[in-house]
Amino acid sequence: MTSSTADRLESLDGESAKKGVAVVTGGSAGLGRATVRAFAAAGYDVAVLARGEDGLAGAVADVAGAGRRALGLAVDVADHRAVDAAAAQVEDRMGPIEVWVNNAMTSIFAPFMDTDPEDFERATAVTYFGFVNGTRAALRRMKPRDRGVLVQVGSALAYRGIPLQAAYCGSKHAMVGFTESVITELLHDHSKVRVAMVHMP
């Protein structure tokens, strides 16, 4: 059930990795964009879910430049209906999703008591519920096929809270507990869907 990303993908050198469709949320910039490029280089077709149109266009161009099919979808991961609709669109246009990477996040750099409640809720909606929504959309498709890989991009801050990032730290802590619970359910069902958490330092 649990595994490192490397175990499931076999390699990211474009030779021995199993080809298929990968979805990366928050794939238009930073770590997400690098993840998109890595999957394309490995021979995967890649769907990128993000909000920024310019970043989406750039990520799609990266995938196309690697000779793979690309699909960029403007999606607010905090909206579970939009995420599920995006997953359906990916499968309609590209085929079965083999790998889903939950990476989208947002943060607020401010003391907790100086953070507007609305901003705190928005950060939590994206950074935590975005993972919940992506996980649901992925498993809704992977479980009936009894295959697939779900990757949760976490953080060292999932285990250590620091000043000025209460919303982000709280969301990453919650993601760990949520994912561990989902793993136990998949184990109970003897599912071959595999789950990994990758925590950035």
Side-chain angles (χ1 to χ4, degrees):
M1 182 62 56
T2 59
S3 71
S4 70
T5 307
D7 289 341
R8 178 61 177 90
L9 299 182
E10 299 175 9
S11 78
L12 290 178
D13 63 5
E15 296 297 327
S16 60
K18 180 180 178 182
K19 310 303 186 287
V21 176
V23 174
V24 181
T25 72
S28 61
L31 180 63
R33 182 81 168 262
T35 302
V36 167
R37 290 172 177 159
F39 275 105
Y44 283 79
D45 297 325
V46 186
V48 184
L49 277 54
R51 296 188 71 192
E53 295 288 350
D54 291 342
L56 275 172
V60 165
D62 291 343
V63 176
R68 304 307 307 170
R69 293 185 302 155
L71 177 62
L73 297 174
V75 178
D76 180 355
V77 297
D79 181 344
H80 70 90
R81 293 181 182 86
V83 174
D84 194 66
Q89 190 172 352
V90 170
E91 295 217 329
D92 286 345
R93 295 176 62 177
M94 302 183 81
I97 297 166
E98 297 294 340
V99 183
W100 184 290
V101 181
N102 282 315
N103 171 74
M105 54 75 66
T106 188
S107 188
I108 303 162
F109 296 93
F112 169 65
M113 291 304 295
D114 293 341
T115 303
D116 290 338
E118 293 79 8
D119 290 338
F120 196 100
E121 290 174 6
R122 176 60 185 168
T124 302
V126 172
T127 309
Y128 173 55
F129 283 106
F131 278 59
V132 173
N133 297 336
T135 298
R136 182 185 292 108
L139 293 182
R140 183 170 285 158
R141 289 152 181 87
M142 292 176 178
K143 281 196 70 180
R145 293 191 288 259
D146 203 26
R147 73 174 194 271
V149 180
L150 174 68
V151 181
Q152 312 284 50
V153 179
S155 168
L157 302 186
Y159 296 95
R160 173 76 64 174
I162 65 171
L164 309 181
Q165 291 213 58
Y168 182 83
C169 292
S171 295
K172 289 300 185 184
H173 275 71
M175 183 275 288
V176 170
F178 160 72
T179 302
E180 290 177 347
S181 181
V182 169
I183 287 170
T184 64
E185 294 174 5
L186 291 171
L187 285 168
H188 176 269
D189 293 340
H190 303 287
S191 174
K192 293 180 182 177
V193 176
R194 302 176 76 176
V195 180
M197 287 186 281
V198 183
H199 295 290
M200 299 299 102

